[in-house]
Amino acid sequence: MNKILSVSAIVISLALSSSAMAGFKDQTQNRGGFQGPGIAVSTVVEALKLGDDAAVILEGKIEKSLGKERYVFSDATGSVNVEIDDDDWHGITVTPQDTVIVKGEVEKDMFKTEIEVDVIEIKK
């Protein structure tokens, strides 16, 4: 009798947690947001002309690491240093042969301009 009650309790708790998770999935899938035009892909030369904190999307290659989360990014128009925090890689591995899309902001100071990357993805 105790075994039947234990099994019944487990089955009921699994059923309740499954229905709760289904409700959670429904809520996350129904989240809204903007759909429409956004920021266009820029070239390195165009990005270097933008102001501080301007949003930018670049397509090109990461040539090499400079250490401390900094890399050289290049496209057909030139190159710029980018900062990609370790947690922004999200498990992807990139080689200098891969074409990537980086999304971030222009960071300008008195002596240099670089791109602070928020999102990086391999171009498909």
Side-chain angles (χ1 to χ4, degrees):
M1 185 68 159
N2 284 337
K3 289 182 182 179
I4 293 173
L5 289 175
S6 297
V7 170
S8 296
I10 291 171
V11 169
I12 290 171
S13 69
L14 287 173
L16 289 174
S17 66
S18 293
S19 66
M21 287 304 291
F24 177 74
K25 288 179 186 174
D26 289 341
Q27 291 173 2
T28 58
Q29 290 174 351
N30 291 331
R31 296 179 88 176
F34 178 74
Q35 290 184 329
I39 300 167
V41 175
S42 298
T43 66
V44 168
V45 168
E46 292 169 337
L48 292 172
K49 294 176 185 176
L50 296 173
D52 188 40
D53 294 329
V56 67
I57 300 174
L58 300 172
E59 183 179 316
K61 298 180 183 293
I62 296 178
E63 292 180 358
K64 65 180 177 179
S65 171
L66 300 173
K68 297 187 180 183
E69 300 180 336
R70 287 190 161 60
Y71 304 87
V72 175
F73 176 91
S74 67
D75 66 11
T77 67
S79 63
V80 65
N81 291 352
V82 296
E83 179 184 346
I84 307 171
D85 293 338
D86 290 336
D87 57 342
D88 289 332
W89 287 98
H90 297 288
I92 66 168
T93 301
V94 173
T95 69
Q97 291 75 39
D98 295 315
T99 299
V100 296
I101 297 171
V102 296
K103 301 173 184 178
E105 298 89 34
V106 175
E107 292 296 321
K108 287 191 174 209
D109 68 23
M110 193 175 286
F111 301 107
K112 66 179 177 182
T113 300
E114 67 180 24
I115 308 299
E116 185 176 325
V117 175
D118 297 318
V119 176
I120 181 168
E121 52 194 48
I122 296 175
K123 184 176 180 189
K124 297 176 183 173

